[in-house]
């Protein structure tokens, strides 16, 4: 693909993450609970390497609760500590520091044994754009210090925030990676607003979203847009046109597409999770004779 979504500033931000890594005890990897895997930057595994990590599934208020529970279970089975939170509506997020202290318990005990009264912990918040990193940090410090906004690329520079005398967290700009192995990943990131809207055509993104909603949340789609069962006999493009007309946009499906994308981002279809938990790999399957 020729689309450029890895501009120079993201390469710079990645290098800055690498530089600061040695200063922190733990990485808080913030992802979007609706796409817990698609919103993880695969480039980060190599950079973070063995540094302790806590995966934070943010925007859990917008995700399918059952699916979020299943994803947490999945990560637990893969030995990756993970929690789900809603940074938008919760005034405090005590489970973050609590879990950080659990993960770093051995280190804390070791330092206390050396006579340190206050063990200072430093964390770095990383993630792709618009997953809510700065919002999470503002909740931790109980003040709106970091700039937030409903579009990707709001945070431009790293910034330390002091939660307490013993806990400091670094906010970082969102970082994408240069090439999506699975094209669906790019479409999901566009759909939920982690890639600039101007890079894609709204109707392509809406069609992709419509297809996912039909597969996974048809009842919610039907209810939200007052559709008839017969409307679902049409293919995705046909259904998009039906919806455009029904919603009073005549034949301007671009404008309806933008509305549908916004409806999905705002949770108008109820809690939705668009990533599917991977099925166990063939290694764990019982071998057959043929
Ligand atoms: N519904 C909901 N919205 C959230 C939540 N957390 C953040 N948001 C919203 O998501 C948008 C992005 O939040 P930011 O904190 O700016 O995201 P960021 O990850 O710092 O983004 P960049 O700095 O661009 O990388 C804002 O409109 C927030 O209000 C959440 O848990 N639930
Ligand atoms: Mg930010």
């Amino acid at each position: 693909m020729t689309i450029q979504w890895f501009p120079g500033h993201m390469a710079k931000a990645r290098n800055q993450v690498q530089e600061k890594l040695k200063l922190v005890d733990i990485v808080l990897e913030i992802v979007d609970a609706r796409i817990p895997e698609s919103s993880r930057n695969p480039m980060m595994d190599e950079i973070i390497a063995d540094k302790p990590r806590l995966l934070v599934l943010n925007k859990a208020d917008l995700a399918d609760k059952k699916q979020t529970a299943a994803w947490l279970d999945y990560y637990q089975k893969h030995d990756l500590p993970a929690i789900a939170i809603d940074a938008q509506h919760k005034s405090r997020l005590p489970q973050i520091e609590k879990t950080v202290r659990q993960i770093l318990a051995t280190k804390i005990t070791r330092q206390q044994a050396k006579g340190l009264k206050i063990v200072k912990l430093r964390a770095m918040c990383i993630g792709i754009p618009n997953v809510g990193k700065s919002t999470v940090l503002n909740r931790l410090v109980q003040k709106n210090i970091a700039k937030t906004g409903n579009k990707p690329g709001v945070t431009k520079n790293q910034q330390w925030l002091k939660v307490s005398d013993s806990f400091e967290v670094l906010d970082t700009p969102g970082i994408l990676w240069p090439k999506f192995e699975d094209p669906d990943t790019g479409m999901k990131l566009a759909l939920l607003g982690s890639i600039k809207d101007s890079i894609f055509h709204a109707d392509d993104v809406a069609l992709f979203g419509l297809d996912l909603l039909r597969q996974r949340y048809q009842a919610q789609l039907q209810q939200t847009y007052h559709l008839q069962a017969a409307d679902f006999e049409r293919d995705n493009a046909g259904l998009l046109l039906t919806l455009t007309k029904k919603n009073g946009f005549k034949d301007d499906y671009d404008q309806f597409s933008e509305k549908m994308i916004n409806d999905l981002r705002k949770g108008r279809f109820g809690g939705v999770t668009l990533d599917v938990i991977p099925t166990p790999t063939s290694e764990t399957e019982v071998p057959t004779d043929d």
Side-chain angles (χ1 to χ4, degrees):
M1 259 199 235
T2 52
I3 296 166
Q4 180 56 277
W5 48 56
F6 194 71
H9 74 262
M10 285 201 189
K12 188 176 150 210
R14 179 192 55 190
N15 294 341
Q16 286 174 338
V17 163
Q18 213 153 12
E19 275 167 27
K20 290 285 164 46
L21 203 63
K22 47 186 171 299
L23 300 179
V24 305
D25 305 290
I26 190 164
V27 172
L28 305 177
E29 184 183 1
I30 316 283
V31 295
D32 187 319
R34 296 166 293 178
I35 45 169
E37 272 304 294
S38 302
S39 58
R40 292 187 73 189
N41 184 341
M43 214 169 67
M44 283 299 157
D45 277 347
E46 213 178 300
I47 295 172
I48 298 168
D50 295 335
K51 189 68 77 177
R53 188 183 330 196
L54 172 61
L55 191 67
V56 180
L57 278 64
N58 189 37
K59 306 200 183 187
D61 55 308
L62 298 170
D64 180 333
K65 288 195 170 54
K66 266 194 192 159
Q67 289 295 317
T68 300
W71 274 106
L72 290 177
D73 189 47
Y74 170 84
Y75 289 120
Q76 193 187 16
K77 286 194 178 113
H78 286 79
D79 291 326
L80 178 57
I83 54 171
I85 58 162
D86 162 10
Q88 183 80 350
H89 305 98
K90 294 283 182 277
S91 57
R92 293 185 65 241
L93 300 168
Q95 62 274 56
I96 292 186
E97 188 170 342
K98 192 175 148 225
T99 317
V100 161
R101 289 188 177 278
Q102 280 165 2
I103 296 169
L104 299 174
T106 316
K107 180 191 169 103
I108 295 169
T109 316
R110 209 170 43 224
Q111 297 214 0
Q112 281 168 337
K114 284 186 196 159
L116 264 185
K117 283 217 175 69
I118 298 177
V119 180
K120 285 195 178 181
L121 299 178
R122 286 202 185 88
M124 178 196 272
C125 210
I126 62 143
I128 64 165
N130 207 25
V131 289
K133 298 175 293 300
S134 303
T135 307
V136 168
L137 293 200
N138 284 338
R139 290 295 181 265
L140 286 179
V141 297
Q142 299 271 290
K143 273 186 215 137
N144 288 336
I145 295 178
K147 193 176 163 197
T148 64
N150 195 9
K151 57 177 187 183
V154 171
T155 303
K156 307 281 185 215
N157 297 299
Q158 294 186 341
Q159 183 183 17
W160 282 105
L161 285 93
K162 193 170 169 175
V163 181
S164 68
D165 283 344
S166 58
F167 191 36
E168 284 179 37
V169 191
L170 184 70
D171 190 15
T172 67
I175 308 175
L176 288 170
W177 60 105
K179 190 175 179 298
F180 300 124
E181 288 301 325
D182 178 357
D184 279 7
T185 304
M187 293 305 278
K188 285 178 185 170
L189 298 184
L191 190 59
L192 297 186
S194 281
I195 299 178
K196 270 197 298 198
D197 285 332
S198 55
I199 282 175
F200 288 91
H201 292 296
D203 56 332
D204 287 340
V205 178
L207 276 173
F208 176 82
L210 197 57
D211 188 48
L212 283 185
L213 288 173
R214 281 179 90 152
Q215 286 175 41
R216 314 205 71 196
Y217 298 101
Q218 183 165 316
Q220 284 97 308
L221 178 65
Q222 186 167 353
Q223 205 180 7
T224 306
Y225 286 152
H226 311 291
L227 288 164
Q228 311 295 320
D231 292 329
F232 288 98
E233 285 163 19
R234 309 198 68 179
D235 63 6
N236 291 331
L239 185 57
L240 190 73
L241 278 175
T242 302
L243 283 165
T244 302
K245 289 206 178 75
K246 259 183 189 286
N247 280 273
F249 292 97
K250 296 194 177 133
D251 54 4
D252 192 346
Y253 58 83
D254 264 339
Q255 232 193 332
F256 172 73
S257 295
E258 282 174 24
K259 173 191 159 47
M260 202 198 101
I261 293 167
N262 270 321
D263 284 347
L264 182 65
R265 289 178 185 172
K266 287 188 181 139
R268 299 255 155 85
F269 303 103
V272 299
T273 299
L274 304 178
D275 274 351
V276 180
I277 293 175
T279 46
T281 59
S282 50
E283 290 151 18
T284 55
E285 278 169 14
V286 181
T288 54
D289 290 338
D290 52 26

